[in-house]
Amino acid sequence: MSTVVTSEPTAAAELRPARPAYKVTALRVLRSEWAKLWSLRSTWITLGLALLFLVAFGLIAAFQFKSRITSGRPMDRDFASASALSLSLFGTNFAQLALGVLGVLVAAGEYSTGMIRSTLAAVPRRLPVLWSKAAVYGVIALVLGTVGVFATFVADSGILSSTRAAMTLSDAGVVRGLLGAGLYLGLVGVIGVALGALLRSVAGGISVLVASLMLIPGLVSLLPSSWQDHISPYLPSHAGEAMFALHHDTTTLSPTAGLLVFLGWTVLALAGAAVRLVRTDA
């Protein structure tokens, strides 16, 4: 009797198919985040809007400048010292909001839907999820931003060829400025992901993003001038602008310093998101 009892489970085990062994690797986590990102309709819409903002506002600024030149109308202060580079980057401030908001949605959206539990169950170590989200979306934002600013500059160069703002890619500082603008937009996307993971709220992440890039610089401008000179250059938006500005003075950072400061803000946001991801439950 005992022989029959012990042989049945053994036979059943032999007939059961072997379960394949899956290993969590960095490449597989990246592929998972890539698939999740492109499966959302909001990704296509928001990236399209960001590219539209870059190109449309850059072209509008160039046409506006040329119209004032040909008609002899007085120039606004914003256009008085404009160049083809600055006009082609006119839409950067609008594109950064679209890319930053999508970055927040990439991370915080999983918390609002509860999908983050499945994600962390598949990747128990947690931190690879954050690094993969930031890397995948950061690269996408970088590529889109770089392609957008270069395309807009080429178009604006043709529009402004007969004006004092005319520039070409061979002029000093142009390629560096365009690459800096693309890198800035990519890092804004990474900061959006970090804020979404840190706050775990779409509304909260977007609010902090908009405040950091747009509201706080306005508030700092109300401070005494002596304070502004020491604070303003190190704000995220002003440090980012130094990355792609053609000309710099004593009140602004150099392109390298601006990049280092903005990288510091990015690392700080990612560090906060990593600490909360590891220490608190989903």
Side-chain angles (χ1 to χ4, degrees), residues 240-261:
E241 289 175 2
M243 294 168 56
F244 54 82
L246 187 61
H247 302 292
H248 300 80
D249 53 34
T250 56
T251 63
T252 60
L253 299 176
S254 66
T256 302
L259 172 60
L260 292 176
V261 170

Side-chain angles (χ1 to χ4, degrees), residues 60-80 160 163-164:
I60 291 172
F63 279 118
Q64 180 73 4
F65 180 88
K66 186 172 183 180
S67 174
R68 289 179 179 274
I69 288 288
T70 55
S71 64
R73 290 183 295 167
M75 283 286 182
D76 294 337
R77 184 176 60 181
D78 295 337
F79 287 95
L160 303 170
T163 67
R164 65 170 185 264

